[in-house]
Amino acid sequence: MSLAALPPELYSAILTQIPDADDAQRTTLALTRALPQAPVPLEHLFARIRLRAPAAVVQLHRRLRAAPQDARLVRALRVEAWAADAAVVANLLALLGALERLALCVGPTFAPEDLLAILERPRPRLRALSLRFRPYVQRANYYHFLKGAYFDSSLAALARWPAGALRTLSIVQDPPPPPPPGHAPRAFAQPLVFFSFQPLRSLAASPALSGASALRLRVPARDVAPFLAGAAPHALPALRTLDLSTCAAGAPALARLLVRFARVRHVLLDGAPCVPDGEWAALGKSCALAGARRAREREKALRAWQEARDTGAAAHPPAAQPRRARAGRRGLATAAISLRGAAEPLPEPAPAPAPVLAPFSSSSSLPRVLAALQRIRIAPAPPSLRSLCTAAGHAVGVPQAAADAPPDARGHHALLRDEFARGWAEGVAQLRAAWLRLRTSQANGVARVMALRASDAGEGVGEDVDGGADGDANADGDGLDGLVDLAGWAPLEDGQWPCPVLCLAGEDEEGGALHVDGCGHGVAREVWGDDGLLGTV
């Protein structure tokens, strides 16, 4: 039997065994040319397409416009041509309605309105979106500044997408290119990609990112953490991996982000401001106590709501009900006139009996009094962080002036990881002490211990009371929204919360020997791929 007589199912099974998508595409193309009469399936030829040259974009557009049935086979597209015509790219994407993964290199040929035209059309089947910006020019050009050509509108367009299949979002701005060897740095300002990050608040809270588990946002030397942390409470509920490398996000920003996003497990801050030596233990303790800070903020908001409710009730007491008259004839006892003589003295009224006070320990009043005296306390959630990637400062004990001399990197990193682990252990011990105090208060009946719902706390430590979200937990209005009765103390007291993997090697392959097993760089490569453009979901 010749190869041309093989059934298409066998060809598809063979091509599926090729792990690399580019190799599978080249093999499929070679089979179609060597065996033009063979029933070679074209799914592997169009499933994942990578375009490296502007001419390839034009050729693919012509091919798919002539054969719309092949356009429906495209599942992943990577446009890596920085000089590609933006109009041709937009026309090509208009033909691809079944895309599941999209990666675009946005170079100087792209204007903000070009990218806006691409993103204005929602793609409900899209699972991964990657935008990589490189707007830099070789000569001074202030057109972008004078026109106000910024890509803020692209963030706003993504925020208007409805809920779909989007799971990973990557927005990366490449750092400015270094000057050529022997040349002085350029004395003009390079174009900006984003002027303001205000649309980022709406994007984080949009339905489009309601199921996103991985977010990469790299804008060199720009501080985007306040805009993420200041988003609506329901923003990014499924976030697990957060990459803010090259941004101006230091230790305070990290602590705030961990408080804000309770389910984050992997954080990457490569190229961000490094933590000074001597503060790694404080950083570890802060990461472990993120749940405690989240609980304190929620208790503060709950007390403010209770005080406002009590103040409003005192300012507007219920009006007294008027006494209703009985029906029937009005007799002399209730007449408005008197038949007695004016000289006849009126009898003195009998003194009113003294009120009888019920004892404090009566069975009817004691539960009500105890319920009024109970305070609502929120149990801190355990930490969810599993790995942290950031930069290391100079060696411990080495003066800053002598930091140029490279120390033993491996030993230096091990020392910093030990400090971080010590601070983490102190934070976990503080959490266990807080749980013990709350359990004692609950046993004595002086506090009602509640927990943030699992979607807000990051760990399932609570259970809905009497009917879930619409039961007693929310019976008093917005003040108890998101709070549930504690399911039990065993998951907290018996749980183990190991120290996260701290990697200080950076993401460059040159530092591969310094990477730690299980670090977040491996997780990022699985999500976004080695080059950050398109990975597996």
Side-chain angles (χ1 to χ4, degrees):
M1 177 184 293
S2 63
L3 290 177
L6 294 178
E9 293 82 7
L10 186 56
Y11 278 109
S12 180
I14 295 174
L15 293 173
T16 306
Q17 301 303 317
I18 303 177
D20 186 73
D22 293 339
D23 293 340
Q25 187 181 46
R26 286 191 291 265
T27 304
T28 305
L29 182 60
L31 287 174
T32 57
R33 291 178 177 178
L35 304 171
Q37 302 301 327
V40 179
L42 299 180
E43 288 83 356
H44 298 278
L45 185 61
F46 292 99
R48 295 171 65 92
I49 299 178
R50 176 184 292 184
L51 304 176
R52 297 184 175 90
V57 180
V58 178
Q59 295 172 1
L60 180 63
H61 176 250
R62 292 175 180 174
R63 173 70 170 80
L64 297 181
R65 186 176 58 181
Q69 69 278 5
D70 294 338
R72 291 190 288 269
L73 302 177
V74 182
R75 295 293 182 266
L77 176 66
R78 301 174 61 163
V79 181
E80 300 178 2
W82 293 103
D85 192 314
V88 178
V89 174
N91 294 333
L92 173 62
L93 291 174
L95 302 175
L96 307 178
L99 271 182
E100 297 179 0
R101 295 176 176 87
L102 174 62
L104 290 179
C105 287
V106 183
T109 59
F110 265 82
E113 51 268 21
D114 297 326
L115 187 58
L116 179 61
I118 294 175
L119 298 179
E120 276 185 334
R121 174 190 175 188
R123 295 181 176 271
R125 299 184 60 178
L126 196 66
R127 295 178 57 86
L129 175 61
S130 177
L131 302 175
R132 187 173 180 179
F133 295 88
R134 189 182 293 175
Y136 308 117
V137 295
Q138 299 295 330
R139 292 181 297 178
N141 185 354
Y142 298 100
Y143 168 78
H144 297 82
F145 296 101
L146 297 177
K147 183 183 178 181
Y150 307 107
F151 289 88
D152 302 8
S153 57
S154 299
L155 301 179
L158 286 175
R160 293 191 293 268
W161 283 19
L166 192 62
R167 295 297 176 265
T168 65
L169 175 62
S170 175
I171 300 177
V172 176
Q173 178 184 347
D174 285 358
H183 293 74
R186 296 181 178 90
F188 58 89
Q190 292 284 359
L192 294 176
V193 176
F194 302 105
F195 180 77
S196 173
F197 290 101
Q198 289 296 337
L200 190 59
R201 299 177 185 264
S202 302
L203 177 60
S206 65
L209 296 187
S210 59
S213 60
L215 174 64
R216 186 205 301 265
L217 188 59
R218 295 186 176 187
V219 185
R222 299 287 298 274
D223 190 6
V224 301
F227 299 93
L228 287 176
H234 61 276
L236 297 169
L239 188 62
R240 297 294 186 275
T241 303
L242 179 61
D243 185 351
L244 297 182
S245 299
T246 73
C247 295
L254 172 62
R256 182 56 187 163
L257 289 172
L258 292 179
V259 172
R260 178 61 186 80
F261 302 109
R263 291 189 170 189
V264 169
R265 296 183 178 181
H266 309 282
V267 178
L268 292 91
L269 297 176
D270 294 317
C274 61
V275 180
D277 285 336
E279 297 185 9
W280 288 94
L283 178 64
K285 184 176 181 179
S286 175
C287 293
L289 292 175
R293 182 177 174 184
R294 190 183 309 116
R296 287 196 301 269
E297 292 181 358
R298 187 63 181 87
E299 284 185 352
K300 182 179 179 181
L302 180 60
R303 286 195 298 269
W305 172 79
Q306 290 176 331
E307 292 176 359
R309 185 185 63 173
D310 296 343
T311 303
H316 303 282
Q321 296 293 333
R323 186 175 180 179
R324 297 177 58 184
R326 296 181 179 180
R329 294 183 59 184
R330 177 175 296 182
L332 295 177
T334 58
I337 60 176
S338 176
L339 300 179
R340 296 186 178 92
E344 183 180 353
L346 297 176
E348 296 182 1
V356 179
L357 297 179
F360 179 79
S361 59
S362 63
S363 58
S364 60
S365 61
L366 182 58
R368 186 178 298 106
V369 172
L370 289 180
L373 293 178
Q374 274 189 338
R375 293 189 306 166
I376 295 180
R377 300 297 306 274
I378 300 176
S384 61
L385 189 64
R386 298 294 181 266
S387 69
L388 173 62
C389 301
T390 183
H394 61 279
V396 177
V398 178
Q400 186 69 30
D404 296 336
D408 181 10
R410 187 181 299 274
H412 179 44
H413 290 180
L415 184 59
L416 298 183
R417 281 193 292 269
D418 291 342
E419 291 187 17
F420 182 84
R422 177 168 53 83
W424 177 273
E426 293 178 0
V428 172
Q430 188 170 332
L431 276 178
R432 295 188 184 279
W435 293 333
L436 180 60
R437 289 194 300 269
L438 291 176
R439 184 174 186 177
T440 303
S441 299
Q442 184 185 48
N444 294 334
V446 298
R448 179 186 180 184
V449 181
M450 306 187 74
L452 294 172
R453 193 175 292 122
S455 59
D456 301 323
E459 300 288 343
V461 297
E463 61 180 5
D464 293 341
V465 293
D466 295 342
D470 298 328
D472 291 344
N474 294 330
D476 292 335
D478 295 338
L480 297 180
D481 283 347
L483 296 180
V484 293
D485 281 335
L486 194 66
W489 292 100
L492 296 178
E493 296 177 340
D494 300 338
Q496 301 297 324
W497 321 110
C499 179
V501 177
L502 178 63
C503 183
L504 307 172
E507 64 177 355
D508 296 336
E509 292 299 328
E510 298 177 356
L514 299 176
H515 281 286
V516 185
D517 294 338
C519 71
H521 295 113
V523 177
R525 281 191 293 270
E526 293 179 1
V527 174
W528 287 295
D530 294 337
D531 56 1
L533 278 177
L534 195 63
T536 59
V537 180

